[in-house]
Amino acid sequence: MPNRLHRIVAASLLGGALTTAIACGTGELRIPPARRLVIYSGARIDPPQERMDEVYHWVSEQWDSISRDPAFWIETTATEGPVYPWEDLEVILNPQQDTAIVTYQGPPGMNIQPRRAFVIYAHLHLMAALDRLDRWLPDAAGSDEFAMEQAILARTAESWLYQRSVLDAPPNGILDELMFVAESGYLDAFVLTARPDEFVEARRAWGAANPERTDAYIGWFRETFERNPPGLRGGSGGG
């Protein structure tokens, strides 16, 4: 059964993220120190504290909008297997209630941390459909679908980086992939490889301009995660 995410529910979704800021001697609010992230292959991310401070502010603002704006709903549906944010996303524009529905991996009804990143993704897509993306991603508003998708995924990945580095969220295979891909500059190849039937014109232009980038990305992904990237493997969770 879908979980409706709005107002009071949304305000609690950061699981303490909105209250992790601590007061320093000057009365300013500071978030806890960001920690280095290292995965089994040895790949690592060491996010600067200043960057995580900035992410805290936009995450807080976005969640405040999700919790207070009466014009839309975000619904989440839990599933047992791994799923990428775009795989089961539905955006419904309705005069009564504009809605985005997104599926995440986890127990039904549980406010697990990966769910929050999926809600960020769904919210940004709903804002794009409503021509309101300029508030959250001004550089992506009005861009083509491929560029907009990269921008939305980059923001989703950054929200997960904040949760992993500052809030000590446990690893999540799907979101950790997205996070390391974004931090390594391979979002373009990641999107085109994982979603071979989409972005046809952008794919053609990108392939002509970057003839060796797909092979470089595949090699990097295999070295980092010790498996094929989504789009080149069978089963669920991105093909």
Side-chain angles (χ1 to χ4, degrees):
M1 180 178 180
N3 293 306
R4 284 206 160 184
L5 180 66
H6 211 250
R7 300 186 180 92
I8 297 175
V9 177
S12 68
L13 264 181
L14 284 181
L18 298 181
T19 58
T20 53
I22 56 177
C24 65
T26 62
E28 297 178 353
L29 292 179
R30 296 185 182 276
I31 66 170
R35 66 183 181 91
R36 176 182 296 173
L37 302 174
V38 183
I39 59 174
Y40 49 84
S41 67
R44 63 190 60 206
I45 302 173
D46 196 0
Q49 186 67 37
E50 295 80 5
R51 180 183 173 194
M52 292 299 95
D53 290 344
E54 293 177 1
V55 174
Y56 164 77
H57 287 294
W58 70 250
V59 165
S60 300
E61 183 181 357
Q62 188 166 351
W63 279 105
D64 185 65
S65 176
I66 292 171
S67 66
R68 296 176 184 275
D69 192 330
F72 64 86
W73 288 101
I74 308 294
E75 295 185 4
T76 60
T77 302
T79 187
E80 292 184 1
V83 59
Y84 288 91
W86 62 82
E87 286 189 293
D88 200 9
L89 173 71
E90 184 177 6
V91 174
I92 303 169
L93 301 185
N94 188 306
Q96 300 300 318
Q97 195 74 73
D98 297 315
T99 304
I101 305 170
V102 67
T103 299
Y104 69 99
Q105 182 183 15
M110 293 292 290
N111 183 21
I112 62 173
Q113 288 163 314
R115 180 184 178 214
R116 304 162 199 159
F118 278 64
V119 169
I120 290 284
Y121 179 84
H123 175 249
L124 291 174
H125 267 282
L126 181 59
M127 293 299 99
L130 294 171
D131 292 325
R132 294 172 55 185
L133 188 62
D134 57 329
R135 176 179 176 184
W136 308 107
L137 292 172
D139 292 341
S143 61
D144 62 62
E145 290 185 359
F146 181 49
M148 184 179 69
E149 182 65 10
Q150 290 182 79
I152 290 175
L153 284 171
R155 181 57 63 96
T156 304
E158 197 169 41
S159 75
W160 182 241
L161 175 61
Y162 174 81
Q163 291 196 73
R164 290 276 277 118
S165 178
V166 175
L167 303 184
D168 203 24
N172 175 275
I174 294 293
L175 291 172
D176 282 3
E177 278 185 11
L178 178 60
M179 177 180 67
F180 273 90
V181 163
E183 293 300 302
S184 299
Y186 279 117
L187 263 180
D188 50 0
F190 173 81
V191 171
L192 294 176
T193 303
R195 302 159 72 170
D197 298 326
E198 300 180 59
F199 314 111
V200 176
E201 293 184 6
R203 180 186 308 278
R204 187 180 301 113
W206 182 88
N210 303 276
E212 300 179 356
R213 189 162 172 79
T214 297
D215 288 341
Y217 158 68
I218 293 171
W220 169 86
F221 194 100
R222 287 171 174 165
E223 180 180 357
T224 302
F225 297 106
E226 300 176 1
R227 59 180 178 268
N228 283 329
L232 296 181
R233 57 181 185 248
S236 62

